[in-house]
Structure formats: C-alpha cells, structure tokens
Amino acid sequence: MTRRLGPPWAILAAIGVALVALIGLVAAAYGFGAATAASAGSSGSVGSAPSPDSTGGGPADQSSPVAAFLGDSYTAGEGADGPGDSFTALAARDLGWVYEPFAIGGTGYVQPSPDLTYGSRVDAVIAAHPDVVVIAGTRNDLGADPAEVRSAAADVFSRLRAGLPQAEIVVVGPIWTSRSVPADVSALDAAVGDAARAAELPYISALSDPWLDGSPELIAPDGIHPTQLGHEVLSRRLVEALQKDGLVPAS
C-alpha cells in the first residue's frame, strides 16, 4: 500500500513555521531583536522627555512651588553672567522653587510710565498662578513723591492679594550699593514698607543691614548694578531674610 502524504497546504505551513523559527534563531544570535525593542521604547511621544525648569538647573519638579518675581534690572539679572544668574534666580534655585521672572530694567512702582510700572505686570503675574510672589525694589522710584510710591505700591499689593488669595506674597525694599544710605532712599524704603504692612504682607528691608557694602568686587563699573559676585551675595541675603522671618524653612 502506498503511503499518502498530507495536503500541499499543510506541507507549505510546516515549511513556513520552520523558516520563522530559523529567522528567530539568527536574530537572537545577532541581537536584532534587542535593538528593535530599544528603538521602539525610545521613540515615545515628542513631549515625553522632562523639560528644564525656568532656572536652567534641570528638570522641573511638578511638586516644587512656582515663584514669581516682580522687579527691576536687579531681578532681570543686569550685571550677572546671565538672566538665570540674577540674585532672585539663584535664591529660587537654592530654595527649590520654579523661577518665573517678571522683570524689566528701569521700572518701579511709579517709574517710568504707567505702561511699564510694576502695576502693569500684575495681571501677568496672576495669570501664572504662582505659589509665591516676591516683589523686589526699587531704587528706580527715586525722585518720585514717596506718597505716590506708597499709593502705587498699595495698589500692586491689593491686586495681587485679590488675584492670588492662596499665594505667599513677600515684599523686598530697594537695594542700595553701599552702607551709606541717602535719606531719599530711606524715605523710599519707608514708603514701600508702609504699603506692605498696611496690606499685611511681610516686608524685608535691604537697608537696615545693607545687603551690599560698596566693595568694588560686588558693584559693576556703572556703580549701580551688582556684579555676578554681588548677585550671589544678594541671593544669600534674600534666602537668609526669608528664613529669619519664617517664610521658608531654615536649612
């Protein structure tokens, strides 16, 4: 009796299975499968990689407080190595805050015009939904009537408090470049301080124990702005003041 073979499709299927097994053995031997898996795993979505935070110091921690800094050229980093090296950016980095600057050089509570004053940026600060707001400065208001500065500062503080009822809002007064503080600078400091206290906001004076002592290495050639070393000194003083007032935990 003649032995019958299976149907042709069964034979072809068996050959196919054998070829697939053979290809798998070759791929495993040369690592093709591992390379393909690594490539597929690394493709991901475009936005899947962590993004650096505003300080430029690495990936942003989603649990870190967002801190908005409203200020002048000091806050913007004039005299520093770069915007990310301003005294406020350095302080935010040390405190583990996500840094959001709202700084324009030459501006203040009343200077130089309504379109560029601190008040003109309040809505932008509120829109950022920060957990912390630090308003810093400013010597740019020198020459203005202290009463006008006090009124403008009070308006800034009340609008920020109304728009950010849960945020910690801190006011830092004007910074001078030496221990010898002119009377009009002290008057400016008093005006901003009065407005902050009236709004029941913490006020940090940078003049009672001047943060800059006039050392040449701390002051830029223009005699106004701090050098990078000056920004580092200011950053340390700001962090110390925040800790002293219990606004941030002491390290």
Side-chain angles (χ1 to χ4, degrees), residues 108-119:
Y109 291 101
V110 299
Q111 298 290 354
S113 70
D115 293 334
L116 289 176
T117 59
Y118 284 12

Side-chain angles (χ1 to χ4, degrees), residues 27-59:
Y30 285 92
F32 294 157
T36 303
S39 175
S42 65
S43 60
S45 63
V46 174
S48 61
S51 301
D53 64 20
S54 299
T55 67

Side-chain angles (χ1 to χ4, degrees), residues 20-224:
V20 170
L22 179 61
I23 291 172
L25 290 173
V26 173
Y30 285 92
F32 294 157
T36 303
S39 175
S42 65
S43 60
S45 63
V46 174
S48 61
S51 301
D53 64 20
S54 299
T55 67
D61 183 347
Q62 295 301 315
S63 64
S64 297
V66 174
F69 287 81
L70 177 58
D72 53 15
S73 58
Y74 277 46
T75 304
E78 183 71 28
D81 291 343
D85 297 305
S86 71
F87 83 99
T88 47
L90 295 175
R93 193 175 306 162
D94 288 346
L95 294 168
W97 293 345
V98 177
Y99 181 61
E100 293 288 348
F102 295 85
I104 300 176
T107 65
Y109 291 101
V110 299
Q111 298 290 354
S113 70
D115 293 334
L116 289 176
T117 59
Y118 284 12
S120 70
R121 279 164 269 159
V122 166
D123 289 344
V125 172
I126 293 172
H129 303 294
D131 303 290
V132 180
V133 180
V134 178
I135 308 108
T138 171
R139 60 185 287 163
N140 292 329
D141 286 322
L142 283 174
D145 183 347
E148 184 183 1
V149 173
R150 186 184 305 110
S151 176
D155 178 68
V156 168
F157 304 154
S158 65
R159 289 168 58 202
L160 285 170
R161 173 48 70 217
L164 298 168
Q166 303 303 318
E168 181 72 62
I169 302 175
V170 182
V171 183
V172 180
I175 298 171
W176 197 243
T177 48
S178 72
R179 290 191 171 276
S180 178
V181 180
D184 54 350
V185 178
S186 296
L188 182 59
D189 179 69
V192 179
D194 287 346
R197 285 183 284 270
E200 299 184 341
L201 299 180
Y203 184 69
I204 298 173
S205 174
L207 301 182
S208 56
D209 177 18
W211 289 6
L212 293 175
D213 62 8
S215 299
E217 66 272 17
L218 303 182
I219 311 301
D222 64 9
I224 297 175

